[in-house]
Amino acid sequence: MDPDVSADGLIAELLDMGFDFDAISAAVGAVGPRRAEVLELLLGGSAPRAGQEGRRGGGVPCRPAPSAARPRPAGKGAKLPNPRGRLRQSSITDHVGSATGGRKESGREASTSLPCSSAPGDPRVPVGADFCSKLGPQSRSLVENSTGESDQMDRVSAVLQKHFGFSCLKSFQKEVLDAWFAHRDCLVLAATGSGKSLCFQIPALLTAKIVVVISPLISLMHDQCLKLANHGISACFLGSGQPDSRVEGKAMAGMYKIVYVCPETILRLMEPLKKLAEKPGIALFAIDEVHCVSKWGHDFRPDYSKLKFLKHDIPLMALTATATIPVREDIIKSLKMSKDTTIVLTSFFRPNLRFSVKHSKTSVSSYGKDFQELIGTYNASRKGQQIIHENDTDSERSSYESWNDSASDYEDENVDSASHGDKNVGKTKTSMSVVKENIENELDLYQGVDDFDVSCGEFLECSRPESSKSPAQSNQTSSSECGDQGPTIVYVPTRKETVEVANFLCKSGLRAAAYNAKMPKSHLRQVHQQFHCNDLEVVVATIAFGMGIDKSNVRRIIHYGLPQSLEAYYQEAGRAGRDGKLSDCTLYCNFFRAPTLLPNKRSEEQTKAAYRMLRDCFHYSLNTSTCRAKILVKYFGEDFGHDGCRMCDICTNGPPQMHDFKEEAIVFMNVLQGRSGGETEDMIYSSVPHYSSGRRGFGDVPNFRMVVSHIREKVCCN
Ligand SMILES: Nc1ncnc2c1ncn2[C@@H]1O[C@H](COP(=O)(O)OP(=O)(O)OP(=O)(O)O)[C@@H](O)[C@H]1O
Ligand SMILES: [Mg+2]
């Protein structure tokens, strides 16, 4: 039972949540200022009407009516409904078709020409910048009052300040909320770290209804629920295979303001959702990381495509930071979003991310050189703490030695031969399809929702799970292990390398941990927790540690090996610098290492798309003349203008020094045409070390410099 609170305080709080004043006073009159019981009355529909105080349970069921923000099917000028009005939300059966036979409402599909409600404008304006503080007074009032719905915005400001401590919405957030107020579907395309979550969290605070969020990963739902609880907002998540009927039952009875559900689970919950839509009502279906809907996206999740049955007299809000134009079109089509869907598009540019590409073997032999700077950075930053941590480091080290033992299991999978493209090619007799399977087994192509070993979690307002500091807390680095440096995430292509690199870093004195989908879930949870609490300096991960992670002070993202797509790259790079401070995103790549994305179990079309994505990664990495940020945002269909970011390796170093290879080229052409005085291509290659073995597979090509220097010798001799 809740401790007694002042009746006024409770009434104010419940009014804030959107309950009807009469219903609240009646309920408080009936059971006293006891929060849980009053809530139960209000949500259970048994709150006595005014004048019926004291007759608990005996009154006419009284559904709480929202005091504001009941979305109306009207344009921007829509007025708020009468706060006392009893607007009946149509039953979910009216708009949620059967999971199998979800029919499309005629004419509801959006045009795929993607009108843009918000021009990106100058891409160098920081994405999602706090507009109120950046614009002059005139523009400011435009942002706040352009709809004439100052009362709506007043309420938004109040909850924003009260629950999140922010003084102002970002302009794109306001547009998204306007769409919700107008009861429209909305596709939100906004940069990583821009604050998309707030767009679906705020509606939960403006009405007595519930917001249902479909999210791809348990770990992500867990993080968000924890944060919401710390902001005084009740939330829970329902995952697949975790039928905790208690939490699920409470969620479906409307006890949590925000209910996170994985796409698999929502299918199972259709019936309870119908009831929830009737009482207390569903304010919004939000689909986070919605690029997972599209098989052209980088992280296709088949279960996302089943969400098309979510029809929307309940508005649908679909959000992502990484959708190319074809993926956006696919999202709208796949989800059958309505014709008047509002598309809120911001610049994808992240002005504080400094991109660079380095060439490296990306193998054990290059760890020392490549990670030297990282190791030096952390060791220098905590010199004074060295003695304190020596023991801890030892224990960390020994734990990683044991991981390394288990990692030797991977040795049998022959993945080295394909993914490193060097050692074992000749030795492996395995057929290609088996190798592919093993590689896919080794890669975290996409992760299931069940990535965490927590049962359906409930997070009550202000509750703090004992064993964990909140992510919000953890964003303050004062007493952190990583000092001022902020943590680093190193992304590697295979699970095996997560352990190898983490092991190497631990042995070099860093507090590092490996993270991949095949590790015990308890370990993954611990890594998450330590990462959020700044107890780890480096997390070495596959793509399993990426989407949506919101930690403000990540200072470095290192990709140690080519990613599978630029979307995945930008999504992962987007974990850096979410506090707006300068952060580095470095890609180390070895062009002689075979790509790790070897398609399996995909259609021919998807295979082609996968190779196209890889090709774009190659272009990005091989590029020597165009600003990195420019290439990245262009990939998402954005015109960056003429200037570069002025920070990336290309912008700062300029294109590489030009060399005149004319003579070498002539010799080379002669060789190819068999006009080199009898010297054939084979003769040139045969004298190049490592190439005389006769094997010419990918990864066995001779070192280009060696060939050039050999040709040079020939040029000099002739
Ligand atoms: N109006 C605002 N003012 C200041 N900070 C904000 C505002 N809205 C959101 N933020 C902060 O921005 C950070 C990033 O938010 P969020 O996790 O929602 O990003 P996102 O857009 O979902 O990113 P991703 O695509 O990577 O998931 C959060 O820590 C949040 O507190
Ligand atoms: Mg997000």
Side-chain angles (χ1 to χ4, degrees):
M1 184 185 292
D2 282 356
D4 291 359
V5 291
S6 94
D8 284 353
L10 182 59
I11 290 171
E13 187 188 341
L14 294 171
L15 273 174
D16 234 15
M17 288 167 73
F19 288 101
D20 180 84
F21 178 78
D22 288 347
I24 298 169
S25 359
V28 172
V31 294
R34 294 168 194 278
R35 203 171 168 285
E37 288 175 41
V38 170
L39 259 179
E40 199 179 322
L41 271 181
L42 291 170
L43 293 171
S46 53
R49 279 176 180 281
Q52 292 177 315
E53 292 89 334
R55 290 164 49 201
R56 187 180 174 191
V60 180
C62 168
R63 229 157 50 80
S67 61
R70 167 67 180 96
R72 293 195 329 157
K76 283 193 164 184
K79 280 262 170 260
L80 279 177
N82 176 351
R84 308 237 164 133
R86 313 238 155 172
L87 294 171
R88 181 189 173 274
Q89 178 167 10
S90 36
S91 152
I92 197 170
T93 40
D94 300 341
H95 30 79
V96 180
S98 78
T100 46
R103 298 162 315 281
K104 174 178 73 181
E105 277 177 53
S106 65
R108 280 191 64 79
E109 274 192 37
S111 136
T112 49
S113 59
L114 293 174
C116 163
S117 74
S118 160
D122 180 355
R124 279 154 297 157
V125 173
V127 176
D130 177 345
F131 257 61
C132 300
S133 59
K134 298 249 178 331
L135 302 178
Q138 203 181 346
S139 328
R140 182 181 173 130
S141 72
L142 257 180
V143 169
E144 287 173 352
N145 290 320
S146 61
T147 61
E149 298 289 351
S150 59
D151 45 352
Q152 282 176 349
M153 290 325 288
D154 285 351
R155 284 182 52 77
V156 171
S157 298
V159 295
L160 190 65
Q161 182 70 55
K162 179 180 166 194
H163 289 279
F164 300 97
F166 300 139
S167 55
C168 182
L169 277 183
K170 299 182 181 185
S171 63
F172 89 90
Q173 292 171 329
K174 190 195 164 292
E175 284 183 60
V176 179
L177 285 177
D178 277 347
W180 176 75
F181 280 126
H183 203 72
R184 285 207 200 100
D185 288 352
C186 187
L187 174 60
V188 187
L189 304 151
T192 48
S194 56
K196 292 183 288 300
S197 319
L198 217 64
C199 300
F200 55 77
Q201 289 166 348
I202 285 189
L205 303 169
L206 296 176
T207 144
K209 295 179 184 175
I210 307 304
V211 167
V212 177
V213 185
I214 291 108
S215 179
L217 302 174
I218 297 276
S219 52
L220 182 52
M221 299 192 238
H222 185 270
D223 276 2
Q224 294 214 348
C225 286
L226 204 56
K227 279 192 176 173
L228 286 168
N230 285 316
H231 289 309
I233 303 159
S234 63
C236 73
F237 64 87
L238 308 175
S240 63
Q242 297 176 9
D244 182 337
S245 56
R246 224 174 28 92
V247 177
E248 191 176 298
K250 280 159 80 179
M252 292 302 114
M255 293 297 287
Y256 308 99
K257 291 303 297 169
I258 305 188
V259 179
Y260 285 83
V261 194
C262 65
E264 294 79 5
T265 303
I266 201 153
L267 288 172
R268 185 170 59 74
L269 293 177
M270 289 320 297
E271 282 307 314
L273 277 172
K274 285 175 194 170
K275 291 194 183 113
L276 188 66
E278 279 167 16
K279 193 175 67 180
I282 297 176
L284 172 70
F285 280 121
I287 305 182
D288 203 10
E289 309 295 355
V290 72
H291 57 271
C292 295
V293 164
S294 171
K295 56 180 178 296
W296 310 127
H298 62 97
D299 217 350
F300 175 51
R301 289 279 300 278
D303 285 304
Y304 258 71
S305 59
K306 295 178 191 153
L307 300 175
K308 57 176 172 275
F309 64 81
L310 290 176
K311 292 197 187 161
H312 8 96
D313 281 348
I314 296 171
L316 198 66
M317 189 186 286
L319 311 97
T320 176
T322 43
T324 56
I325 291 171
V327 170
R328 292 173 213 173
E329 291 174 355
D330 203 20
I331 290 168
I332 290 189
K333 218 164 110 196
S334 305
L335 292 177
K336 301 188 190 313
M337 294 180 84
S338 65
K339 260 196 172 143
D340 61 352
T341 294
T342 299
I343 296 174
V344 175
L345 172 68
T346 74
S347 168
F348 291 105
F349 180 48
R350 292 280 313 272
N352 62 321
L353 299 189
R354 181 164 56 192
F355 291 94
S356 62
V357 175
K358 293 186 175 170
H359 297 268
S360 155
K361 275 184 160 173
T362 61
S363 64
V364 179
S365 64
S366 51
Y367 291 174
K369 184 165 73 70
D370 294 340
F371 294 115
Q372 189 182 19
E373 195 183 327
L374 185 74
I375 294 164
T377 302
Y378 284 117
N379 282 337
S381 80
R382 57 185 162 76
K383 262 208 169 112
Q385 304 170 32
Q386 197 68 42
I387 298 163
I388 302 167
H389 293 313
E390 241 159 39
N391 290 338
D392 297 348
T393 307
D394 282 348
S395 64
E396 191 76 35
R397 186 179 302 170
S398 54
S399 78
Y400 271 89
E401 267 154 15
S402 69
W403 274 116
N404 209 21
D405 293 343
S406 67
S408 63
D409 295 347
Y410 291 115
E411 231 74 89
D412 297 329
E413 293 186 13
N414 295 323
V415 288
D416 259 355
S417 61
S419 60
H420 290 275
D422 46 16
K423 299 180 272 191
N424 300 328
V425 172
K427 295 177 210 156
T428 309
K429 294 271 183 277
T430 329
S431 75
M432 196 54 191
S433 66
V434 174
V435 172
K436 278 181 192 172
E437 233 162 64
N438 284 334
I439 291 163
E440 295 220 342
N441 197 18
E442 169 74 356
L443 293 170
D444 286 346
L445 284 181
Y446 65 81
Q447 202 183 7
V449 279
D450 253 348
D451 55 327
F452 245 36
D453 69 339
V454 278
S455 57
C456 305
E458 75 171 337
F459 295 80
L460 299 173
E461 296 128 66
C462 301
S463 70
R464 281 166 201 248
E466 271 171 32
S467 59
S468 66
K469 283 182 238 167
S470 77
Q473 262 182 328
S474 70
N475 285 341
Q476 294 144 21
T477 52
S478 51
S479 61
S480 73
E481 299 292 341
C482 29
D484 299 335
Q485 290 306 322
T488 296
I489 306 175
V490 178
Y491 286 104
V492 290
T494 64
R495 292 176 188 146
K496 181 180 175 186
E497 288 164 290
T498 61
V499 176
E500 283 175 351
V501 174
N503 215 358
F504 173 82
L505 295 176
C506 286
K507 284 182 174 158
S508 307
L510 301 200
R511 301 184 75 87
Y515 190 106
N516 68 59
K518 274 282 157 74
M519 290 180 143
K521 288 174 181 174
S522 55
H523 170 82
L524 303 184
R525 187 154 52 107
Q526 191 189 353
V527 173
H528 255 267
Q529 195 174 309
Q530 291 180 328
F531 169 74
H532 277 303
C533 297
N534 294 309
D535 288 342
L536 282 173
E537 288 161 333
V538 185
V539 176
V540 187
T542 58
I543 57 165
F545 192 80
M547 257 193 297
I549 287 179
D550 180 38
K551 176 160 173 58
S552 68
N553 64 335
V554 177
R555 289 279 82 86
R556 273 160 243 89
I557 299 290
I558 295 175
H559 279 80
Y560 206 62
L562 269 181
Q564 293 166 8
S565 67
L566 284 186
E567 285 113 304
Y569 179 67
Y570 209 44
Q571 175 74 243
E572 287 152 9
R575 301 311 106 205
R578 290 162 82 91
D579 52 6
K581 292 187 186 161
L582 181 66
S583 305
D584 283 301
C585 302
T586 310
L587 167 61
Y588 286 85
C589 52
N590 174 2
F591 293 110
F592 296 118
R593 182 171 167 177
T596 42
L597 181 70
L598 291 183
N600 193 19
K601 296 177 208 145
R602 294 185 184 87
S603 69
E604 204 185 319
E605 223 180 352
Q606 284 171 300
T607 302
K608 278 187 189 155
Y611 277 117
R612 262 200 307 276
M613 288 183 192
L614 269 176
R615 183 203 58 197
D616 292 330
C617 290
F618 270 94
H619 280 172
Y620 171 80
S621 321
L622 285 167
N623 152 67
T624 56
S625 55
T626 311
C627 163
R628 304 265 179 219
K630 194 169 184 168
I631 296 182
L632 288 166
V633 299
K634 198 166 171 215
Y635 185 74
F636 293 104
E638 182 175 325
D639 183 9
F640 192 66
H642 298 298
D643 294 338
C645 67
R646 303 197 184 120
M647 283 203 307
C648 70
D649 53 349
I650 305 290
C651 286
T652 51
N653 304 333
Q657 216 188 336
M658 303 293 274
H659 296 280
D660 185 356
F661 285 112
K662 192 174 158 196
E663 285 187 17
E664 287 84 344
I666 292 170
V667 175
F668 194 62
M669 291 308 290
N670 284 340
V671 169
L672 292 182
Q673 290 167 8
R675 281 195 270 115
S676 56
E679 183 156 37
T680 63
E681 178 198 9
D682 272 352
M683 286 168 72
I684 282 200
Y685 284 154
S686 64
S687 55
V688 176
H690 305 304
Y691 202 69
S692 45
S693 67
R695 282 188 286 111
R696 308 251 167 109
F698 193 99
D700 278 349
V701 289
N703 182 317
F704 183 67
R705 275 199 195 149
M706 283 186 196
V707 175
V708 170
S709 66
H710 185 70
I711 293 175
R712 275 217 177 107
E713 278 168 27
K714 298 278 165 198
V715 172
C716 294
C717 296
N718 289 339

